[in-house]
Amino acid sequence: MVTVFSPAKINLFLAVTGRRADGYHDLVSVVAQLDFGDDLAAKAHERGAGPQFTLECDGAGVPVDDTNLVIKAARSFALATGWNERVAFKLAKRIPPGAGLGGGSSNAVAALRALNHLAGGRLAEDKLGGVAATLGSDCALFLNPAPVVICGRGERVEPLAGAALGRLRGRRVLLFKPSFAISTAWAYGRMAVRGTDYLASAEAEARVAAWQQGGAPAGEILFNNMEGVAFDKFVALPVLLGKIRTEFGLAPRMSGSGSACFALLSDDFVTAPLVERIRHDWGPAAFVKEARII
Ligand code: C5P
């Protein structure tokens, strides 16, 4: 039996730079993983009848069939290694789905790590990365538990330069999400239809490079050009983020394709009035969670 932590991520900088011939989008993003996430337990069990991989999950509405990325990841692992033990997964789900927090992709990587542990490390790190990249665009970033820059459709991952890393690690973050989710495919699809939200890749890369090499604080890199399509349809997002800017002097942003948002907080920031504002505007079903960048 092994339990693997499956962190959430936030996109501090997300520039979608254009649509590709294969229908995906190219992007440049600075992504940080958080000390908040799910726990995935994997237990090898006796040979017998039934499916090779099963999943139990305490999260309402989370599918536990073949459509869950944990099962997809396990199948890919078995295919890549020939390992044929039977494994029962248990997922303690805390990351809300449809949030832009990378929950499903993170779970897939956690499943690969758990199985590789149970299988005695059959899959070398580079091979594990190869399998992860086939499962979802956001999977590769979860292989290295530290802030990274991702490019391409998300599969090219580069570590952040040391000084920039120091400006992010340990930073306090408030995550908050309305009770509705946003479909990633819908958000990218809307960007493709509008065609006006893209940032040129040269400019995106130059902004990330300048921030990495200069000494600007974490707050200076915050950007997300997926906000346009999301904010047009889901007006509760820009309305609350605007209030948070003016009432609290913070610089909140949406993460990924939403609907979760976040704000970087100083260590002495008192969160109670902010949490009250979020719950007042978005209702008691809003998700609110404090975390730190790992
Ligand atoms: O790769 P993943 O399954 O997470 O992507 C979900 C959907 O989001 C894709 O089907 C695609 O429509 C869109 N997407 C995209 N460009 C990316 C990542 C995702 O267009 N870089």
Side-chain angles (χ1 to χ4, degrees), residues 48-282:
Q52 186 182 2
F53 302 112
T54 58
L55 174 64
E56 264 179 62
C57 180
D58 59 0
V62 178
V64 292
D65 60 8
D66 291 4
T67 62
N68 192 296
L69 275 171
V70 168
I71 301 291
K72 285 189 182 170
R75 292 240 168 105
S76 298
F77 181 87
L79 210 63
T81 59
W83 195 70
N84 60 7
E85 303 287 318
R86 297 171 68 231
V87 172
F89 290 101
K90 256 193 189 166
L91 180 61
K93 192 77 195 156
R94 302 182 195 99
I95 307 171
L101 298 174
S105 307
S106 177
N107 292 167
V109 172
L112 294 179
R113 290 243 178 263
L115 290 181
N116 211 26
H117 178 87
L118 293 176
R122 282 187 182 216
L123 214 51
E125 195 64 23
D126 58 329
K127 294 264 168 30
L128 196 131
V131 175
T134 65
L135 293 164
S137 308
D138 272 350
C139 287
L141 74 93
F142 287 105
L143 292 166
N144 174 18
V148 288
V149 182
I150 59 172
C151 304
R153 58 173 264 228
E155 81 287 3
R156 295 208 316 270
V157 182
E158 295 156 23
L160 265 189
L165 213 56
R167 282 178 265 155
L168 295 182
R169 293 193 106 163
R171 281 301 304 263
R172 193 173 169 220
V173 175
L174 191 76
L175 291 175
F176 48 104
K177 178 192 164 288
S179 52
F180 59 83
I182 296 181
S183 150
T184 303
W186 172 84
Y188 277 107
R190 279 299 297 156
M191 285 193 92
V193 168
R194 285 171 32 144
T196 49
D197 301 275
Y198 303 131
L199 184 74
S201 58
E203 191 184 335
E205 280 160 20
R207 281 174 65 169
V208 171
W211 178 76
Q212 284 206 70
Q213 286 149 20
E220 300 275 309
I221 193 63
L222 299 177
F223 176 77
N224 184 349
N225 67 349
M226 295 197 87
E227 286 178 348
V229 292
F231 287 9
D232 265 8
K233 181 170 167 75
F234 302 102
V235 290
L237 300 177
V239 170
L240 177 60
L241 296 200
K243 287 184 191 176
I244 291 175
R245 264 192 293 277
T246 53
E247 290 173 21
F248 298 92
L250 296 172
R253 296 239 77 101
M254 188 175 81
S255 180
S257 54
S259 61
C261 299
F262 67 92
L264 297 178
L265 306 177
S266 60
D267 281 346
D268 59 358
F269 185 88
V270 178
T271 54
L274 173 57
V275 174
E276 199 176 306
R277 160 57 72 203
I278 294 165
R279 294 222 186 278
H280 176 270
D281 278 33
W282 284 355

